[in-house]
Amino acid sequence: MRLLVLTFILCSCLTAVAATAMPCDTPFVVVQSIDFAGNDVTKDQVMRVELTFAPGDTIAAADLEALLEDNRRRLFNLRLFHYVNLNYTCTNGSLQVTYDVQERFYLYPIPILDFAERNFNAWLERKDWSRIDYGLSLVRRNFRGKNEDVRLRVQQGFNKRLELSYRVPYIIRKYNLGADFAIADYRSRTTSYTNFNNKQRFVEQQDVLPIQRTSVAAGIIHRQSVQRQQGLRLSYHNEQISDSVSRLNPEYYHDALQERQYMRLEFYKVINLRNNFVYPTVGSYFEAGIAQTFFLRQSGTSFTTAKAKYTHYSKLSDKYFYMVSAEGHLRLAGEHAFADNIALGYRSYVRGYELYIIGGQHYGMFKQGLTRQLLDIKSIKLKFIDNPKFNNIPLSVFLNAFTDAGYVVDNAFAEGNPLTNRFLAGGGLGLHVVTFYDMVLRAEYTLNLEGDRGIYFSGRIPF
């Protein structure tokens, strides 16, 4: 888990929706106008392109409420607004619609105070205060009012990072084509050169950096809507390790190489039909991708990766919700380097195994959870703050009971790592807190098949 100290921004809004209407007295209505209010920065066209209806359309009155609410959620899930309210009037079969929004603050610096580990609990296991990262992340959301993102990260400390990225949702609006660009440089005083007993073994050096990585990426995005996107991305990578790392593990880059360069071509597709992108309770989510990695200057063996994930969210009653998710990953190669042997333990993991690294070429994972909403405060008014972008704080709290299961296949580096090539399972109870500017805080008590138990912390939704 990444721990960031946020200054004047916390995270995401589950604010209530106010809808006012003048009922329609005809079986069909014709859309006369669609207006927007409150969007001082955001261009009307950014919002209009997300809608599934337009002026001149004829709509059955029986379907009108559902259609307008679905489009309200589309606008809200742009994650540009604290709330999106809906108003409409219907006069003699003529429909006028207005979406009223409260814009967020779009430019903010985020001071970085981070632990140089995979997650907070992994740092707690070591409790090494020298393994701290610090710096500044500058984010400009909704750049030029066109839903563009610019991000700059300057990080010092144990791990040094310099990252710059830019995403534009539309460069050719006629064909719904957008683009993204990124450049990154990473240097660290340590790296994990191998795994033993499914724990990382590190080498740390002061005189020379044990690992350096540089990458440049550019992609084309086909953006049908905020819910449906697909893209093609090409990236170049240069990676170097010290001779100490190569000596300790000649298979780190395979055949005792200390430097490798490669290109990666990736195609991905996302269908996000969740009711809320921050903490969903109803709907579904699907993502899939396939990538081909080509090594340059005979520095490795090409390989293919494929991954897919599907999650379904169901509402059982006003307070109870059920989530079920399946995820899989394949890596096909003739030869394997240790640096690429990543499966569970980083972004994907079976809960209860946060302290373990389970490397491999392929893995499958299943998750399910039953959630009860304990608290849903639409807005906490901070009277001492005048700015409406900061003085209303929503707060939702959920209790989640869950079970996870997974299996990792490792045909190259399984020796000495007993959790590979075997069934993994964990379960427990979690408390999830959701508040504004997209913040999710999780504390979960988990028991796994190995008999390990403990409380684990994270800042991302688990499903």
Side-chain angles (χ1 to χ4, degrees):
M1 181 188 85
R2 295 282 186 193
L3 296 180
L4 303 178
V5 177
L6 307 182
T7 49
F8 52 90
I9 160 175
L10 291 177
C11 287
S12 163
C13 173
L14 299 178
T15 307
V17 177
T20 59
M22 181 178 294
C24 300
D25 54 5
T26 57
F28 293 92
V29 297
V30 177
V31 181
Q32 179 180 2
S33 64
I34 304 173
D35 299 314
F36 305 100
N39 54 315
D40 299 328
V41 175
T42 310
K43 306 295 185 185
D44 282 6
Q45 184 61 25
V46 169
M47 305 169 68
R48 201 175 299 279
V49 74
E50 299 298 334
L51 303 180
T52 60
F53 68 108
D57 289 354
T58 300
I59 303 171
D63 301 330
L64 181 60
E65 290 280 355
L67 174 70
L68 296 180
E69 171 60 15
D70 176 69
N71 281 270
R72 186 204 67 80
R73 289 192 177 276
R74 284 172 174 260
L75 296 177
F76 179 72
N77 281 327
L78 288 171
R79 297 165 75 173
L80 299 178
F81 313 113
H82 285 307
Y83 64 74
V84 179
N85 288 344
L86 164 65
N87 305 280
Y88 71 90
T89 59
C90 195
T91 307
N92 298 324
S94 181
L95 178 70
Q96 298 86 37
V97 180
T98 299
Y99 287 104
D100 182 36
V101 303
Q102 169 61 67
E103 291 186 308
R104 298 184 179 188
F105 195 75
Y106 297 127
L107 174 63
Y108 43 87
I110 306 174
I112 297 170
L113 184 61
D114 208 351
F115 298 106
E117 305 289 353
R118 296 174 293 110
N119 54 57
F120 178 63
N121 287 87
W123 180 87
L124 278 180
E125 192 177 36
R126 296 173 63 95
K127 295 180 181 177
D128 184 351
W129 285 99
S130 70
R131 299 172 70 88
I132 298 293
D133 298 329
Y134 57 88
L136 183 70
S137 181
L138 184 64
V139 179
R140 179 59 165 98
R141 292 223 58 205
N142 203 14
F143 181 55
R144 303 192 298 166
K146 296 183 177 181
N147 195 20
E148 301 171 0
D149 274 5
V150 182
R151 297 173 184 265
L152 173 66
R153 182 186 180 104
V154 181
Q155 177 182 299
Q156 296 293 311
F158 199 83
N159 298 313
K160 293 178 171 55
R161 293 180 186 270
L162 179 61
E163 300 173 355
L164 176 64
S165 66
Y166 172 64
R167 182 192 60 82
V168 52
Y170 297 106
I171 53 175
I172 306 177
R173 192 175 296 276
K174 179 181 179 181
Y175 299 106
N176 293 330
L177 292 179
D180 59 30
F181 309 91
I183 183 170
D185 184 77
Y186 170 83
R187 298 161 189 259
S188 179
R189 289 162 42 191
T190 188
T191 190
S192 170
Y193 67 91
T194 192
N195 298 330
F196 184 73
N197 284 330
N198 296 106
K199 296 294 184 77
Q200 293 174 301
R201 293 290 181 90
F202 291 93
V203 56
E204 184 172 342
Q205 296 176 264
Q206 299 294 334
D207 54 336
V208 62
L209 294 174
I211 190 163
Q212 302 177 55
R213 300 191 189 104
T214 303
S215 65
V216 180
I220 294 294
I221 306 167
H222 181 230
R223 189 179 188 278
Q224 296 172 269
S225 69
V226 68
Q227 297 175 318
R228 299 174 184 271
Q229 301 181 36
Q230 55 195 1
L232 189 67
R233 181 179 294 117
L234 179 65
S235 58
Y236 166 80
H237 304 258
N238 181 279
E239 301 178 349
Q240 302 176 49
I241 55 174
S242 66
D243 56 357
S244 296
V245 176
S246 178
R247 185 172 60 253
L248 288 167
N249 185 357
E251 296 306 305
Y252 192 90
Y253 285 155
H254 195 61
D255 290 337
L257 290 174
Q258 290 183 236
E259 181 179 2
R260 64 179 189 174
Q261 300 176 30
Y262 58 91
M263 305 286 290
R264 178 169 292 155
L265 183 64
E266 176 186 10
F267 172 78
Y268 64 90
K269 185 177 183 66
V270 176
I271 302 175
N272 190 344
L273 302 180
R274 300 177 292 186
N275 63 331
N276 186 288
F277 288 8
V278 178
Y279 193 91
T281 54
V282 177
S284 63
Y285 178 84
F286 170 78
E287 67 170 308
I290 185 168
Q292 181 67 37
T293 300
F294 306 91
F295 285 89
L296 309 177
R297 299 182 180 179
Q298 298 181 334
S299 58
T301 302
S302 298
F303 61 85
T304 304
T305 57
K307 61 181 180 181
K309 178 180 180 179
Y310 179 78
T311 307
H312 188 77
Y313 309 82
S314 304
K315 182 177 181 179
L316 304 181
S317 68
D318 288 342
K319 297 292 185 180
Y320 286 91
F321 308 91
Y322 175 71
M323 299 85 178
V324 60
S325 177
E327 178 180 342
H329 179 275
L330 296 172
R331 184 168 68 254
L332 306 175
E335 298 177 330
H336 302 284
F338 174 80
D340 302 318
N341 205 55
I342 297 173
L344 301 182
Y346 292 89
R347 290 191 62 85
S348 297
Y349 55 85
V350 173
R351 281 174 286 182
Y353 292 86
E354 285 88 341
L355 297 180
Y356 297 99
I357 289 291
I358 307 165
Q361 297 84 55
H362 323 299
Y363 73 83
M365 189 164 54
F366 172 86
K367 295 186 175 186
Q368 63 177 345
L370 178 65
T371 296
R372 188 192 191 282
Q373 187 172 51
L374 301 178
L375 185 66
D376 185 21
I377 300 176
K378 302 302 182 184
S379 177
I380 301 172
K381 182 74 172 182
L382 303 180
K383 296 182 179 180
F384 58 90
I385 299 178
D386 293 332
N387 193 325
K389 297 179 181 180
F390 298 105
N391 63 9
N392 289 285
I393 301 178
L395 180 65
S396 296
V397 180
F398 300 85
L399 180 66
N400 178 248
F402 60 87
T403 58
D404 293 359
Y407 193 96
V408 176
V409 176
D410 188 350
N411 297 318
F413 304 99
E415 185 177 354
N417 294 287
L419 296 181
T420 55
N421 301 315
R422 57 170 289 189
F423 180 72
L424 310 171
L429 287 174
L431 196 66
H432 302 168
V433 178
V434 186
T435 185
F436 70 175
Y437 281 100
D438 300 345
M439 179 175 275
V440 178
L441 300 175
R442 290 167 41 211
E444 296 172 334
Y445 178 81
T446 306
L447 172 68
N448 66 21
L449 280 183
E450 321 313 311
D452 301 328
R453 61 189 69 197
I455 298 176
Y456 300 94
F457 302 94
S458 181
R460 296 186 296 114
I461 61 173
F463 35 75

